[in-house]
Amino acid sequence: MTETLKRGYPGMASVKDMPIVQDMPPVGGFPSIRIQRRLPSTGPTGVAIFAVGAAVMAYGYYNVYHLIQNRKAGLRELEMLRAPIIPVLQAEEDIRWVAHSKAALEEEARIMKDVPGWELGKSNSATGRWIPPPKPFGINDPILQ
């Protein structure tokens, strides 16, 4: 059906009757399209961040070094203050050890009095050399008492 029969007035009888119109670019062409990246420089560069990090670490290591030196100096001073009383402390420990050894021998004599051939105070070590007594530690440590 043509438009004439359908609408009652003359029109296009076919699509072929339409004028040919082609879409063309404007005179002078289209404006160029920007395709390169133009990002603004935001913040410091990687080298600057690395340099700041290295500087902060160097300053921290510098402070740690001086802290350790000051601590060592304080410990040396404390050691020098305690040095004069070391003989007194050693004498007190020797007195305590002699009293403890005497009490241990008395206890050994009391416990082993009925054992024939038992020698009081004889070392049970197979090496034959003197071995210092173990230092107390843990609950029985006199420092913790």
Side-chain angles (χ1 to χ4, degrees), residues 105-138:
L105 285 176
E106 291 172 356
E107 182 73 12
E108 182 183 349
R110 186 185 64 79
I111 293 173
M112 304 301 285
K113 66 182 175 188
D114 297 329
V115 178
W118 182 263
E119 295 180 24
L120 187 62
K122 182 179 175 189
S123 175
N124 295 328
S125 175
T127 62
R129 65 176 198 192
W130 184 80
I131 299 173
K135 297 285 185 189
F137 63 95

Side-chain angles (χ1 to χ4, degrees), residues 25-107:
V27 179
F30 289 108
S32 63
I33 298 172
R34 184 175 64 106
I35 58 172
Q36 67 269 18
R37 293 180 72 188
R38 291 186 193 164
L39 299 174
S41 65
T42 56
T45 63
V47 173
I49 292 173
F50 182 79
V52 168
V56 167
M57 287 179 57
Y59 180 70
Y61 283 128
Y62 173 80
N63 282 345
V64 167
Y65 173 77
H66 282 288
L67 176 73
I68 291 171
Q69 295 301 317
N70 289 339
R71 186 180 297 157
K72 283 183 179 180
L75 290 175
R76 273 193 306 269
E77 181 181 359
L78 188 60
E79 186 177 330
M80 294 307 291
L81 288 173
R82 289 179 179 170
I85 64 169
I86 288 176
V88 175
L89 295 175
Q90 185 64 49
E92 287 180 356
E93 176 62 21
D94 291 345
I95 292 169
R96 188 204 62 79
W97 187 81
V98 166
H100 177 73
S101 296
K102 183 179 177 186
L105 285 176
E106 291 172 356
E107 182 73 12

